[in-house]
Structure formats: structure tokens, C-alpha cells
């Protein structure tokens, strides 16, 4: 049976794809009257960028990249995608063929989590501090679940209660409704474990803690993820100034980025600092800024390496 929610969900996620850029200034933005209002547009992507993403092999690196600069011109925020169909199926979803496809997108609950992340983003912006003339921009992984979460978050920002808060607390903060695609925010590649049951994560994460450059099971190493994230920062620092940049990506990528950005000595410990679906965190720059770690649970089954 088709419900009003499912119609709104489909419209919000897919009707605004691949349109020209627009932006809205918070103090002048129209108030959303329903969840069918699609506020976000996705930048038009050339075929070469799509092919580049699908051909992107993990780097083989021997060491971590240098730390991020201490004097960044922008502030960074991490938003993990909402609940996806792959999460529900409990399978690892990292194959590069997923880039710029609609496979493994959000569930209705995942869309709701993306909408709810708007409030978390406002909380993070308030905590980090917003100055006159600042702007917010979204960069997304090319996987459907991340792109759709960015769209849902922007839909959430257009809800009346968030519009009122933006006007009252953030003045003329400008939020771009154009979602920029960034191939280097793709999910960590899990090699031979891709499309396997999610319990097999437990055979990679403990190894990460001892060797950030390992590629057991042909997975992408923690160090390799850090190298591509450092390139994303380099891109952002060259293109933007005084921006609040929201990276919409995946659990491992954001958790690795969280520890890398905080200058933690062993970034391989990232799996003890889990993001929930739809969770927002600001990038902090010191190890003592991290939440309390949560130890990994013992794996349920064995598997052959």
C-alpha cells in the first residue's frame, strides 16, 4: 500500500537530483510546510568523475600521512548516513560499483534519521561558533545512502522549528543547498569481505589496532583512508574559507577521520569510537576531545583469511 510518507520520501530523495546549484540564506529562507519539500540539489557530475569513482582502487601505503595543519581556514563536521538497506540486510557494502548508483540507499527510517540530523548539526554549529559571513556546505560520498542523507539533512534544516532557530540564533548564516560530490569520501573498501555478513568486520578492526597499514582480506588500510581524507581537506582548504563543511560519509571513514583529525597517535583504534546512523560530530583537534571509547565485542563466528 502506498502511504503519504513513502510518496514524500521518494520525492525528497530523488526528485531534486542533478539540478543546477542554488543556495538559501537562512533569514530569508521559505518555511517548509511538509516533508515533501525538497530543498537540496546535487551537483551535476561528469561521466569521467563517475568512472573515476568506480575505478578507484585502494592505495597501498606504508605509513600514515602527515598530521592535518593546525591552522585550518574552515571547520569540519562529520555526518554518518542514515539506516540503509545494506544495514538492514546486515551485509558489508563497499564495492566501488555502488558509486553514483541508487543501490543500498536509505530506508524510510534512515531518511528520518537524516532529517533528525539537522538538529544535531545546529547543535554542533552552535558549539563550534558561527561568525558573521560564515557559510555551510555539504560534501558527500557518491554512495546513495550518503547522498540521500545529505538531502534529508537539508530537508530537516528547512523544517519550521529549525528555520526559526536558524533565524533567531545564527543570523545571516548561509547554507548552500547544492551538495558537492567527493569521491574520496567513499566507504572504506573491504576487499574479499565485501557483501559478506557484517560480523566479519570483527576480523579486520582488531588488526587495525596493531597495524594501520595492513590490507588483510584485501581491505583498504586505515592509513590509506587517512591519505585520501587529507586530500579532501586539501581540496576544501583550497576552495573555501570561513566555511562549515559537512562531510556526509560512512562509519569507518568518519571514525578514522575523527581520530586522524584529533591527532591520536594510533588511528587504528577508531573502531572504539563508533558513530550511530545519522549522528553528527564536529572535527576536534586534540585526543582529549574524543568521546569515551567503547570496547569491541568478541566476533560471533570465524572466517578464512
Amino acid at each position: 500500500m502506498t502511504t503519504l510518507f513513502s510518496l514524500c520520501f521518494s520525492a525528497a530523495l530523488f526528485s531534486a537530483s542533478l539540478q543546477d546549484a542554488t543556495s538559501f540564506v537562512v533569514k530569508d529562507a521559505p518555511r517548509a510546510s511538509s516533508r515533501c519539500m525538497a530543498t537540496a540539489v546535487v551537483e551535476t557530475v561528469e561521466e569521467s568523475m563517475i568512472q573515476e569513482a568506480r575505478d578507484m582502487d585502494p592505495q597501498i601505503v606504508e605509513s600514515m600521512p602527515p598530521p592535518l595543519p593546525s591552522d585550518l581556514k574552515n571547520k569540519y563536521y562529520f555526518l554518518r548516513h542514515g539506516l540503509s538497506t545494506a544495514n538492514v540486510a546486515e551485509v558489508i557494502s563497499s564495492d566501488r560499483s555502488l558509486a553514483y548508483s541508487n543501490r543500498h540507499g536509505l530506508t524510510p527510517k534512515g531518511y528520518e534519521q537524516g532529517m533528525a540530523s539537522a538538529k544535531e548539526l545546529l547543535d554542533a554549529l552552535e558549539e563550534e561558533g558561527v561568525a558573521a559571513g560564515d557559510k555551510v556546505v555539504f560534501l558527500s560520498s557518491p554512495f546513495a545512502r550518503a547522498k540521500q542523507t545529505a538531502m534529508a539533512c537539508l530537508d530537516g534544516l528547512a523544517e519550521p522549528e529549525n528555520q526559526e532557530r536558524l533565524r533567531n540564533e545564527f543570523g545571516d548564516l548561509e547554507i548552500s543547498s547544492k551538495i558537492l560530490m567527493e569521491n574520496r569520501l567513499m566507504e572504506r573498501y573491504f576487499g574479499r569481505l565485501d557483501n559478506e555478513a557484517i560480523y566479519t568486520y570483527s576480523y579486520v578492526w582488531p588488526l587495525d589496532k596493531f597495524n594501520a597499514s595492513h590490507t588483510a582480506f584485501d581491505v583498504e588500510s586505515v592509513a590509506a583512508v587517512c591519505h585520501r581524507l587529507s586530500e579532501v581537506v586539501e581540496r576544501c582548504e583550497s576552495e573555501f574559507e570561513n566555511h562549515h563543511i559537512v562531510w556526509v560519509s560512512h562509519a569507518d571513514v568518519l571514525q578514522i577521520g575523527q581520530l586522524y583529525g584529533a591527532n591520536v597517535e594510533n588511528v587504528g583504534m577508531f573502531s572504539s569510537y563508533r558513530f550511530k546512523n545519522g549522528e553528527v560530530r564536529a572535527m576536534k583537534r586534540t585526543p582529549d576531545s574524543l568521546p569515551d571509547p567503547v570496547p569491541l565485542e568478541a566476533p560471533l563466528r570465524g572466517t578464512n583469511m
Side-chain angles (χ1 to χ4, degrees):
M1 178 178 178
T2 301
T3 64
L4 176 61
F5 173 77
S6 65
L7 289 173
C8 294
F9 176 61
S10 298
L13 292 185
F14 301 116
S15 66
S17 296
L18 303 178
Q19 298 178 32
D20 292 335
T22 62
S23 64
F24 62 92
V25 178
V26 168
K27 64 180 181 181
D28 297 324
R31 298 171 69 93
S33 59
S34 75
R35 288 181 179 174
C36 291
M37 177 182 177
T39 62
V41 294
V42 181
E43 72 168 330
T44 301
V45 177
E46 299 291 337
E47 183 63 34
S48 59
M49 187 172 177
I50 297 174
Q51 198 58 49
E52 176 187 83
R54 294 175 179 174
D55 291 342
M56 188 180 289
D57 292 326
Q59 292 178 278
I60 305 299
V61 300
E62 299 298 326
S63 60
M64 291 283 293
L68 296 178
S70 60
D71 55 345
L72 296 174
K73 297 184 293 184
N74 303 287
K75 295 180 180 180
Y76 294 85
Y77 304 81
F78 304 137
L79 167 56
R80 186 190 173 194
H81 65 79
L83 186 73
S84 70
T85 58
N87 292 148
V88 173
E90 298 188 339
V91 295
I92 296 176
S93 171
S94 69
D95 192 83
R96 283 8 192 176
S97 66
L98 294 169
Y100 300 102
S101 78
N102 287 325
R103 288 180 292 154
H104 293 180
L106 292 183
T107 63
K109 181 178 180 179
Y111 176 73
E112 289 290 331
Q113 290 169 333
M115 290 272 290
S117 73
K119 180 182 181 300
E120 289 193 26
L121 178 59
L122 294 181
D123 291 342
L125 288 166
E126 182 179 20
E127 181 180 343
E128 292 300 299
V130 173
D134 283 2
K135 299 179 180 180
V136 177
V137 65
F138 284 74
L139 264 66
S140 176
S141 156
F143 282 22
R145 55 190 182 267
K147 179 181 68 176
Q148 292 168 1
T149 299
M151 297 172 73
C153 184
L154 282 163
D155 283 351
L157 289 171
E159 290 284 274
E161 62 271 24
N162 290 327
Q163 284 292 297
E164 182 176 3
R165 183 178 176 189
L166 282 162
R167 285 192 295 270
N168 293 339
E169 299 179 21
F170 295 92
D172 61 352
L173 177 67
E174 182 178 336
I175 301 178
S176 174
S177 60
K178 179 182 181 181
I179 300 166
L180 303 179
M181 305 309 296
E182 174 51 73
N183 290 345
R184 290 164 293 193
L185 290 178
M186 273 195 295
E187 176 67 282
R188 180 187 185 188
Y189 183 58
F190 269 82
R192 286 180 283 150
L193 297 181
D194 184 71
N195 210 38
E196 295 293 334
I198 57 172
Y199 71 78
T200 58
Y201 280 134
S202 298
Y203 290 88
V204 174
W205 292 336
L207 300 179
D208 293 334
K209 294 185 176 186
F210 293 97
N211 182 0
S213 298
H214 88 84
T215 58
F217 303 98
D218 300 324
V219 301
E220 182 178 16
S221 71
V222 171
V225 173
C226 289
H227 275 274
R228 56 179 166 104
L229 293 183
S230 71
E231 293 172 358
V232 178
V233 171
E234 183 177 353
R235 170 200 172 178
C236 292
E237 292 295 292
S238 67
E239 293 184 14
F240 306 109
E241 185 170 356
N242 298 325
H243 276 58
H244 300 264
I245 303 175
V246 185
W247 290 358
V248 191
S249 187
H250 310 267
D252 272 29
V253 173
L254 296 180
Q255 288 151 194
I256 290 170
Q258 176 184 225
L259 268 64
Y260 177 48
N263 294 299
V264 173
E265 183 176 357
N266 181 7
V267 179
M269 300 290 291
F270 73 89
S271 55
S272 295
Y273 299 87
R274 303 294 295 166
F275 274 69
K276 298 176 183 178
N277 289 111
E279 184 175 356
V280 178
R281 295 179 191 172
M283 177 193 284
K284 304 292 187 179
R285 303 311 312 278
T286 60
D288 61 5
S289 66
L290 296 173
D292 293 333
V294 178
L296 284 175
E297 297 180 1
L300 298 177
R301 307 180 194 175
T303 187
N304 295 322
M305 185 176 292

